[in-house]
Amino acid sequence: MLALEDHIEKALRGQLEDLQDYPDVIRELKQIQHTVEHHISDLRNLSDRRAAGGPADAIKRAGSAVLGFGAAAIDLVRREGLPKNLRDDYTAFSLASIGYVMLYTTGLGLDDREVADLAHQHLSDYAEAVTRLHNIVPAAVIRFLKEDGLPVREDVLPEISRTIEEVWHSESDQAPRAEELPVAPRR
């Protein structure tokens, strides 16, 4: 997760330099970057405290085996325009989110509350970041289309916001819970 967080921070830093024409987006991305910097610090501190080995090695081994992805899985350093940058951010934040779900599961499953609590907090932070992007991306797309000279309607943004909220809320109510899925261990 530390490698992924480092990669996300590097990409955000590059985007902040490239998106000077979008102060509202920069403000939002700076908040997210600040959160990512805290994640990096938290993960480094946890790693440093556990450098001695022992039971912590079990978490590290399990985490590496289960998570199995690194920063090389995604290439976020792009300069293709605001909507594509935000799409790539969404992809990275989603990857980090599921990584933290897996780390949370690993921490709880191996009875390591410190790891589980850290993963839970970072997952919550990424849920907020993804929600922010749900609200930023439509306006960025509208602006991009407008700058491209297309006769785009801005008045559709409230409908888009409502639709996004309705879809996510509806789907979260219908999705099965972890213990209800066939991959859950049988007792």
Side-chain angles (χ1 to χ4, degrees), residues 75-93:
D75 178 17
L76 297 174
V77 183
R78 297 187 180 197
R79 290 174 169 76
E80 298 182 24
L82 181 61
K84 290 180 181 177
N85 277 316
L86 294 175
R87 177 204 59 209
D88 292 345
D89 291 343
Y90 188 93
T91 301
F93 300 166

Side-chain angles (χ1 to χ4, degrees), residues 155-173:
D155 65 324
V156 299
L157 288 171
E159 180 181 347
I160 293 167
S161 292
R162 281 190 308 276
T163 300
I164 292 168
E165 288 175 24
E166 289 169 5
V167 165
W168 281 98
H169 181 74
S170 169
E171 292 305 314
S172 68
D173 287 345

Side-chain angles (χ1 to χ4, degrees), residues 26-36 128 132:
I26 286 176
R27 185 176 55 252
E28 294 292 330
L29 290 180
K30 279 186 178 181
Q31 285 184 300
I32 294 169
Q33 181 190 30
H34 184 69
T35 299
V36 171
E128 180 183 343
R132 283 180 183 271

Side-chain angles (χ1 to χ4, degrees), residues 40-150:
I40 291 168
S41 176
D42 292 345
L43 291 164
R44 283 195 177 126
N45 287 337
L46 179 66
S47 178
D48 290 347
R49 283 194 314 276
R50 296 190 170 206
D57 282 341
I59 290 285
K60 186 175 181 181
R61 220 176 33 256
S64 295
V66 172
L67 296 172
F69 60 81
I74 51 176
D75 178 17
L76 297 174
V77 183
R78 297 187 180 197
R79 290 174 169 76
E80 298 182 24
L82 181 61
K84 290 180 181 177
N85 277 316
L86 294 175
R87 177 204 59 209
D88 292 345
D89 291 343
Y90 188 93
T91 301
F93 300 166
S94 294
L95 181 60
S97 294
I98 198 62
Y100 282 117
V101 166
M102 296 169 79
L103 186 59
Y104 178 71
T105 303
T106 301
L108 282 184
L110 294 176
D111 203 25
D112 189 323
R113 182 52 75 171
E114 182 183 21
V115 168
D117 289 347
L118 183 72
H120 180 266
Q121 180 57 55
H122 291 193
L123 173 61
S124 295
D125 293 341
Y126 273 112
E128 180 183 343
V130 167
T131 301
R132 283 180 183 271
L133 286 181
H134 280 165
N135 296 320
I136 295 169
V137 168
V141 170
I142 294 289
R143 179 173 175 179
F144 185 79
L145 295 172
K146 192 176 220 179
E147 288 172 354
D148 221 22
L150 297 169

